[in-house]
Amino acid sequence: MSSSADTQEPARRFIQSGSRWEELAGYSRAVVDGRWIMVSGTIGQDFTTGELPPEAEAQCELALDVIEAALAEAQSDLGDVVRVRVYVPDRDDVIAISHVLRRRLGANRPANTTVCCALAVEGAKVELEVTARRRREVPPAA
């Protein structure tokens, strides 16, 4: 018979990226719960300078860089992404953003929903939110 310690779920872990928005709104860039990683909506902003590139494609690349770093901290990668939600204020940017996603996510082909809507941060041309599930077990921290 196993003890409750043997079947206990691993503790939830919270990952921060240094975004001022995380501190302002009291959220985490990502939450790791077992093999699941939920990454908050991420805009293409350089969090050290506050700058947003002028093009939607460049913002998408930067948002994916931030997401990729959060996934790496969770011992995961873009290949583990099972769902992506894309928020775009200008539908004319959807195709360009889609090309970036296709290239960066490769053959993974996660479920995708794209919504055209206003974004909370002025100048943001895309916001990405992903859910990932690690394909492999990660030993608990000692």
Side-chain angles (χ1 to χ4, degrees):
M1 182 165 11
S2 64
S3 71
S4 63
D6 294 337
T7 59
Q8 191 174 21
E9 289 288 321
R12 222 174 245 172
R13 195 159 59 92
F14 304 96
I15 295 172
Q16 305 302 314
S17 68
S19 161
R20 73 182 187 97
W21 307 109
E22 292 166 20
E23 184 60 33
L24 176 74
Y27 69 91
S28 297
R29 176 63 42 212
V31 176
V32 181
D33 191 340
R35 289 176 130 176
W36 289 99
I37 304 119
M38 284 67 64
V39 182
S40 294
T42 304
I43 60 173
Q45 183 175 41
D46 180 329
F47 296 139
T48 58
T49 66
E51 297 294 318
L52 286 159
E55 307 84 22
E57 299 93 325
Q59 287 189 24
C60 188
E61 293 279 3
L62 191 51
L64 284 167
D65 290 346
V66 172
I67 289 167
E68 196 167 31
L71 290 172
E73 192 170 331
Q75 297 178 303
S76 182
D77 58 40
L78 291 174
D80 289 338
V81 173
V82 296
R83 170 173 284 290
V84 60
R85 289 183 183 93
V86 184
Y87 303 95
V88 184
D90 185 347
R91 96 176 12 154
D92 289 340
D93 289 330
V94 170
I95 298 298
I97 289 165
S98 296
H99 285 300
V100 173
L101 291 169
R102 169 76 176 187
R103 183 175 46 76
R104 294 285 297 269
L105 295 173
N108 184 26
R109 301 180 72 94
N112 177 316
T113 300
T114 299
V115 178
C116 292
C117 61
L119 299 179
V121 177
E122 189 174 337
K125 295 181 182 250
V126 63
E127 184 167 340
L128 304 174
E129 172 188 343
V130 306
T131 302
R133 185 172 188 275
R134 277 194 308 263
R135 293 165 285 179
R136 66 198 180 288
E137 288 289 338
V138 176

